[in-house]
Amino acid sequence: MFQLRPGLIDTRLLFSFFLLLVIFCRPGLSGAQDQTLIDKEALKKVQETKTVRAYRLTGDFELDGYLREEIYRQPAAEDFIQTDPVDGAPSSEKTLVWVFYDSANLYVAARCLDSNPKGIIGQLGRRDYSVDSDWFIFSVDPYHDRRSGYAFWVNPSGSIIDKALFNDISEDKSWDGVWEARTRVTADGWTVEIRIPLNQLRFPRREKQLWGVNFQRIIKRKNEKVSFAWVPKEDNAFVSRFARLEGIENIKPGRRLEAFPYSVGQARYRPAEPGNPFETGHQYRGNVGLDLKAGLKSNLNLDLTINPDFGQVEVDPAVINLTAYETYYEEKRPFFIEGSSIFSNFGRGGIYINVDLNWPNPRLFYSRRIGREPQGYPQHDGFVSFPDRSTIIGAFKLTGKLGSGWNVGVINAVTAREYATVDDLNNRYRDEVAPFTYYGIFRAQKEFNRGQQGFGFLLTSVVRDLREDSLRSLLAAEAFNLAFDGWAFLDKKRNWVLGGWAGGTFLHGSQEAIYRIQRSSIHYFQRPDASHVSLDPEAVSLSGLGGKLSLAKQQGHSIVYLSTGVLSPGFDPNDAGYQRSLSDRITFQAYYGYMWTKPGKIFRQALLIGGLEQNHDFGWNKTFESWLLTLQGVFRNWWTSEVSLIYYPQIFSNTLTRGGPLALIPHGYLGQLSLESDSRKKFVFYGSGYYGRTENKQEQWNLSLGLRWKPGPNFNLSLGPSVSKDRNETQWLTSVADPLMTDTFGRRYLFGRIDQTLVASDLRLNWIFTPRLSLQVYLQPYLAVGKYDRFKQLKFPRTYDYLVFGDHPSTIDYQDGYYLLDPDGSGPAAVISIYNPDFNYKSLRGTVVLRWEYRLGSLLYLVWTQNRADYSNPGDFSLGRDLGRLFTAPGDNVFLIKITYRFNL
């Protein structure tokens, strides 16, 4: 993918100014200090011996938040230490915590004392939404593997968050357990009681349990965060530093079997299209299905879905994509996001640092491939009713631990054949546009020596039943990805770690399909000046290898990251996975950073990191290089900021001509700045911007602002407008064959200068009536206008030398919506006709969602979604006129009701 490589003007001056700013603002310089001398090494030794005792509940218990039962006479855990504002200092407010259990449940209770109870902040939030509030957090590692577990958050208003913990410091908020909490605000603080059914947790079968545990508390008005199992800021660790939880004996996970039948109804209204039998102005749909969740033995969870509803409640954002690569969208379907960490952490075990600028981080499994929009096309002409997704007939997912410590994840899904219905007003046809398809995903990972080392693999398979010639020539019949990953900490304190992954991809299909894939944007085997790749029209398979190896120091104040990665030209994970760039690359990265955690004159804490990244193709042409310097900091007033400068030396692009020869990209620079105000305030401001320039090629800038308003504990409104400009001299248009153009191997590669303006805004409203009843509104107006001129062709490979049409002897003319480009005027070259590429895309997308958890685990959704679009006045930007057209454009309205009921069997 071509990326802005912003020019060299004033680069030295910018870097000099930035370095002076860093030196002047160093957090550790003498001045007013918030902390006295703290012996962190001594504190670390104390943390290593911390133990919490769990008590068996013998008397009556009522979950009400009052903490009146006899069990509270037992000793409590209370030795909490600050992470913020003063790392290593004692907590400013006392917190008492108890853990107890019976044969069916685990209980956690806390008394959060507060010297100023009126200052307690209890912002209401929908489940799993982190609001600006006080919080009590209970984290537990039932396997005591020091890498995984669960976290349960509760705030004074009763709002809850739950997460699965993995890879020591990573979190998966998609995990949703069935548990309860009650809170009370008292005269001396606030209290919380939590009840977690044991069948919601996975733990080994043994008489005496040994778990890891941590308690944390956030006191928002002070921006204070305290932990029972404290970890210094400069250490990248969490689960591995938990205290020991002892005393739990003679318990069993219990059988977990839950059924979730659902029913959904949908009504769609949009303007009727005269003569079109498919656009009558209204459409109605209904569906029923069943989801099953079962706990197998003590360590595995099975999710089974029959006739699933895989629609989305929230729409995808509008985008303009002028690249050769597809847009990446986040997964929003609950079946796939719940428990997805076992799949998403592939290749990331042990390594917590990620500073990639141009490495594509290929995903071997991208769940939105399952049920994707059909890739085929109708074979007949006429009015078309085209399916927007492939129907998933059924799917199951198995996750958990197996045998001697293997973490496993399995997904199997089958999608139906899909047909486009075509009506030519005389006959009606059903043209197959998606084949019957099987998807299989198998992930396994094993840890050794309490997580000091790890090894795993990921296997994906896509098998299609291709009956139609149109689909056989378009899609691979089989696609397989297999890769292995692992890590090894090189010392007991886990300061240094070596980790990475290696694997391959294999595609098999018809000659036509493999030939098309060879020419696609992830391969470009047709590049005429690349000696290391070539097209093979008779090939029926395509394979490739890839991998990445990283060495990192990620504990302490100093940070080091060294990495090298390789993707061979044939590497292609995109049938089951996602990769948004050319595979043909060899990457090297080297970064060094330093973290200050001691408050100083300007910053409370800061991180400075700098380094370089280089890419070459397999012909050893340098295709990317960057030099980065970034400063991140938290100011003493709790504002946060990040400043980055990037210098891009001259390189050769192997993607600019989209399958053509190499083209030179001049040097450039990019500067970025972001700022966010204190999140405790009623009004929170955030903003970011960048400016970049590539010498003689491109200039672009962006400004994004945001305001979050919290007028009450149950209501917040955020507004985030943005505007950007991009003037690019070499925006791709097309290529045409011309044997006269021998300098560029018999083709003319055509570009235009685009002057593009983007204006957009995100508006979000959250009105939380109770932790189980909420109303959310999302609205995104989006304007994208592009005006093209200075049409040109590449004159010579490996240069920044272009013929601008209209310069002698070439000519340019415009007739009936087409540009007529003549490369040599009266010469023998043929005239090239290009349709006017100007655009003016106006979109308004919005969603209103009422969510009610009317009983534990049972949900009711009422949803209204609206889409509006307009394309008038291409190439001409007028903010007032375009907004007016947008809000008066015909709308597509969808009303949906969905109800799910949980049966605990």
Side-chain angles (χ1 to χ4, degrees):
M1 168 184 141
F2 171 69
Q3 185 170 333
L4 171 73
R5 317 198 181 272
L8 190 56
I9 295 178
D10 296 330
T11 302
R12 295 177 182 175
L13 179 61
L14 287 169
F15 268 97
S16 299
F17 172 76
F18 189 43
L19 287 172
L20 286 173
L21 176 67
V22 172
I23 293 170
F24 177 75
C25 297
R26 275 187 59 186
L29 292 178
S30 59
Q33 300 292 317
D34 285 347
Q35 67 186 85
T36 57
L37 187 62
I38 295 174
D39 188 345
K40 289 190 174 182
E41 291 302 319
L43 276 176
K44 285 184 182 180
K45 292 181 180 179
V46 172
Q47 302 306 302
E48 293 174 359
T49 62
K50 277 194 170 181
T51 301
V52 177
R53 182 75 181 176
Y55 305 98
R56 180 172 283 275
L57 182 64
T58 55
D60 294 334
F61 178 81
E62 182 178 356
L63 189 76
D64 55 16
Y66 282 112
L67 278 64
R68 296 177 295 193
E69 284 77 9
E70 189 71 20
I71 194 75
Y72 296 114
R73 296 182 181 272
Q74 298 288 351
E78 56 180 295
D79 181 20
F80 283 73
I81 298 174
Q82 291 184 34
T83 300
D84 280 315
V86 184
D87 195 24
S91 173
S92 68
E93 305 287 355
K94 192 171 184 178
T95 307
L96 305 173
V97 184
W98 295 265
V99 179
F100 45 101
Y101 67 98
D102 56 26
S103 60
N105 301 288
L106 178 71
Y107 303 88
V108 181
R111 188 180 301 279
C112 303
L113 301 175
D114 200 307
S115 57
N116 180 19
K118 292 184 179 180
I120 294 172
I121 300 174
Q123 191 84 14
L124 269 170
R126 179 177 150 178
R127 180 171 184 163
D128 286 342
Y129 278 71
S130 181
V131 293
D132 299 318
S133 172
D134 287 30
W135 289 96
F136 172 75
I137 307 162
F138 165 60
S139 301
V140 62
D141 170 14
Y143 281 106
H144 204 225
D145 59 15
R146 299 183 179 273
R147 287 185 54 80
S148 64
Y150 308 89
F152 303 86
W153 295 45
V154 185
N155 78 359
S157 296
S159 298
I160 63 172
I161 299 173
D162 49 12
K163 306 175 183 181
L165 308 176
F166 65 98
N167 199 23
D168 196 358
I169 67 168
S170 301
E171 300 175 341
D172 179 10
K173 195 184 289 187
S174 67
W175 180 77
D176 282 330
V178 179
W179 55 285
E180 297 178 275
R182 297 290 185 272
T183 61
R184 301 284 177 183
V185 177
T186 65
D188 58 356
W190 66 284
T191 59
V192 55
E193 288 181 324
I194 301 171
R195 178 166 57 204
I196 306 167
L198 291 174
N199 64 14
Q200 299 295 307
L201 305 176
R202 302 290 95 188
F203 52 87
R205 287 183 178 270
R206 57 171 65 114
E207 183 179 345
K208 293 185 177 182
Q209 299 286 332
L210 175 60
W211 296 359
V213 71
N214 195 11
F215 316 112
Q216 296 170 287
R217 180 182 173 188
I218 295 173
I219 307 171
K220 191 61 184 177
R221 73 176 185 279
K222 301 180 179 183
N223 264 337
E224 182 175 335
K225 185 173 184 178
V226 298
S227 301
F228 181 78
W230 168 77
V231 179
K233 281 184 181 180
E234 61 269 21
D235 287 359
N236 274 303
F238 184 56
V239 181
S240 59
R241 307 287 180 87
F242 279 9
R244 293 163 60 94
L245 178 62
E246 300 176 346
I248 300 178
E249 300 178 355
N250 300 315
I251 62 169
K252 297 179 180 179
R255 187 187 68 170
R256 180 192 179 194
L257 182 59
E258 299 169 325
F260 297 84
Y262 83 87
S263 177
V264 61
Q266 177 181 292
R268 185 170 199 162
Y269 301 96
R270 55 181 161 188
E273 183 179 328
N276 187 341
F278 302 116
E279 292 295 347
T280 60
H282 54 81
Q283 187 180 69
Y284 305 101
R285 295 179 181 176
N287 204 1
V288 294
L290 176 68
D291 294 336
L292 291 172
K293 295 179 181 289
L296 306 181
K297 295 186 177 181
S298 63
N299 303 326
L300 294 174
N301 290 314
L302 174 67
D303 292 79
L304 176 67
T305 182
I306 302 170
N307 194 28
D309 171 48
F310 281 141
Q312 292 181 194
V313 171
E314 185 172 319
V315 296
D316 292 318
V319 294
I320 282 288
N321 185 356
L322 300 179
T323 74
Y325 303 97
E326 64 177 318
T327 301
Y328 179 85
Y329 292 108
E330 295 290 341
E331 179 62 83
K332 298 177 181 178
R333 300 170 296 179
F335 177 85
F336 291 109
I337 62 176
E338 291 176 6
S340 62
S341 60
I342 181 64
F343 305 101
S344 61
N345 73 349
F346 176 81
R348 296 169 174 82
I351 301 285
Y352 313 138
I353 301 173
N354 184 5
V355 285
D356 300 322
L357 290 181
N358 197 251
W359 174 257
N361 275 327
R363 292 172 175 259
L364 298 186
F365 173 52
Y366 175 42
S367 58
R368 286 188 66 146
R369 297 297 186 212
I370 304 175
R372 68 186 301 174
E373 182 178 348
Q375 297 170 269
Y377 48 88
Q379 302 301 300
H380 295 87
D381 295 327
F383 294 103
V384 179
S385 175
F386 197 89
D388 61 355
R389 72 191 71 160
S390 298
T391 302
I392 301 178
I393 300 172
F396 81 82
K397 178 172 60 178
L398 185 69
T399 57
K401 286 186 179 285
L402 188 66
S404 57
W406 281 95
N407 296 287
V408 298
V410 179
I411 292 178
N412 278 266
V414 176
T415 60
R417 299 185 191 277
E418 293 294 339
Y419 297 87
T421 305
V422 183
D423 194 317
D424 63 6
L425 301 183
N426 292 313
N427 298 289
R428 181 164 285 197
Y429 311 92
R430 294 180 76 237
D431 294 340
E432 185 177 337
V433 291
F436 179 86
T437 306
Y438 162 78
Y439 294 87
I441 319 296
F442 183 36
R443 168 72 164 137
Q445 185 183 71
K446 183 175 174 59
E447 300 169 0
F448 306 91
N449 300 326
R450 290 182 171 267
Q452 284 291 114
Q453 298 89 30
F455 173 79
F457 66 89
L458 176 63
L459 171 66
T460 71
S461 59
V462 179
V463 181
R464 301 182 174 101
D465 181 17
L466 300 172
R467 300 191 308 189
E468 297 294 327
D469 289 341
S470 61
L471 294 176
R472 275 197 295 269
S473 64
L474 183 69
L475 303 173
E478 297 95 23
F480 302 97
N481 301 330
L482 174 62
F484 302 88
D485 66 333
W487 72 90
F489 289 100
L490 304 182
D491 58 299
K492 290 185 177 180
K493 293 186 177 181
R494 300 189 177 185
N495 291 320
W496 288 88
V497 61
L498 184 69
W501 66 274
T505 64
F506 177 80
L507 307 177
H508 178 264
S510 68
Q511 292 182 356
E512 296 83 1
I514 298 302
Y515 186 75
R516 183 196 67 82
I517 294 170
Q518 290 179 75
R519 296 178 57 87
S520 66
S521 59
I522 195 174
H523 301 294
Y524 285 148
F525 277 15
Q526 69 271 35
R527 284 170 281 164
D529 59 344
S531 60
H532 58 283
V533 293
S534 61
L535 286 169
D536 182 356
E538 297 181 356
V540 293
S541 65
L542 179 65
S543 59
L545 299 174
K548 191 176 186 186
L549 181 66
S550 302
L551 174 67
K553 179 184 179 296
Q554 49 196 21
Q555 306 285 11
H557 294 282
S558 294
I559 298 170
V560 178
Y561 181 70
L562 301 173
S563 181
T564 184
V566 175
L567 298 177
S568 75
F571 187 83
D572 189 342
N574 277 345
D575 283 83
Y578 179 89
Q579 181 180 312
R580 195 178 186 267
S581 64
L582 191 71
S583 278
D584 182 10
R585 69 179 63 218
I586 303 169
T587 295
F588 173 74
Q589 300 161 300
Y591 293 96
Y592 174 79
Y594 192 86
M595 180 186 298
W596 292 271
T597 59
K598 184 178 179 181
K601 290 181 180 179
I602 307 297
F603 291 115
R604 291 185 176 275
Q605 63 185 64
L607 170 65
L608 177 67
I609 190 166
L612 68 94
E613 181 173 340
Q614 263 192 12
N615 288 349
H616 292 78
D617 65 16
F618 273 59
W620 207 245
N621 300 290
K622 187 171 68 174
T623 58
F624 179 83
E625 184 176 1
S626 66
W627 292 79
L628 167 72
L629 189 62
T630 294
L631 174 66
Q632 303 171 1
V634 179
F635 293 102
R636 291 185 60 84
N637 64 354
W638 294 103
W639 285 48
T640 60
S641 179
E642 180 175 352
V643 184
S644 298
L645 288 175
I646 309 174
Y647 170 59
Y648 299 96
Q650 174 181 293
I651 55 94
F652 294 107
S653 172
N654 54 7
T655 59
L656 182 64
T657 57
R658 302 197 182 185
L662 292 170
L664 185 143
I665 305 295
H667 53 245
Y669 67 86
L670 178 71
Q672 298 174 310
L673 171 67
S674 64
L675 188 69
E676 182 171 352
S677 66
D678 187 349
S679 63
R680 296 173 297 177
K681 305 300 183 181
K682 181 178 293 188
F683 290 95
V684 180
F685 163 82
Y686 46 95
S688 64
Y690 64 79
Y691 174 80
R693 186 172 183 272
T694 303
E695 190 73 15
N696 299 321
K697 181 188 183 299
Q698 186 173 13
E699 184 176 20
Q700 68 176 24
W701 59 266
N702 168 271
L703 179 63
S704 299
L705 302 174
L707 181 67
R708 187 166 67 250
W709 178 40
K710 301 171 289 184
N714 69 330
F715 184 92
N716 65 79
L717 177 70
S718 62
L719 178 65
S722 65
V723 59
S724 63
K725 290 282 291 184
D726 181 9
R727 175 169 288 193
N728 184 357
E729 286 284 346
T730 56
Q731 177 61 51
W732 167 261
L733 291 174
T734 189
S735 70
V736 295
D738 188 344
L740 298 175
M741 195 61 188
T742 57
D743 290 328
T744 52
F745 306 94
R747 293 194 73 86
R748 297 186 185 274
Y749 297 93
L750 305 178
F751 304 85
R753 178 175 68 181
I754 184 174
D755 191 344
Q756 181 175 249
T757 302
L758 295 179
V759 178
S761 183
D762 287 331
L763 184 147
R764 292 183 182 272
L765 179 151
N766 293 289
W767 193 353
I768 314 300
F769 307 105
T770 73
R772 293 187 179 183
L773 178 62
S774 63
L775 178 71
Q776 291 184 305
V777 179
Y778 169 73
L779 188 67
Q780 185 208 32
Y782 182 89
L783 307 177
V785 182
K787 173 67 177 176
Y788 286 81
D789 61 5
R790 285 181 54 83
F791 297 95
K792 55 180 69 70
Q793 71 175 32
L794 180 67
K795 293 174 67 175
F796 304 102
R798 305 176 71 92
T799 70
Y800 190 74
D801 191 359
Y802 294 84
L803 168 67
V804 179
F805 289 98
D807 292 351
H808 184 77
S810 67
T811 64
I812 182 171
D813 196 10
Y814 185 74
Q815 295 180 10
D816 301 325
Y818 287 85
Y819 286 97
L820 305 179
L821 311 177
D822 191 333
D824 58 2
S826 59
V831 174
I832 304 167
S833 176
I834 295 180
Y835 186 75
N836 185 352
D838 294 350
F839 59 86
N840 188 330
Y841 173 57
K842 300 173 280 290
S843 167
L844 179 66
R845 298 187 176 192
T847 305
V848 180
V849 180
L850 179 70
R851 179 186 184 273
W852 179 30
E853 188 176 2
Y854 57 92
R855 68 188 301 270
L856 199 61
S858 301
L859 294 169
L860 171 68
Y861 284 101
L862 298 176
V863 183
W864 171 36
T865 298
Q866 184 180 90
N867 294 323
R868 295 175 181 267
D870 183 84
Y871 305 91
S872 60
N873 306 108
D876 180 22
F877 175 72
S878 172
L879 181 61
R881 180 203 63 208
D882 290 343
L883 284 175
R885 291 286 180 88
L886 173 61
F887 285 101
T888 58
D892 182 354
N893 293 278
V894 178
F895 299 91
L896 180 144
I897 179 170
K898 179 179 179 180
I899 186 167
T900 302
Y901 190 89
R902 172 180 176 261
F903 289 95
N904 187 9
L905 306 177

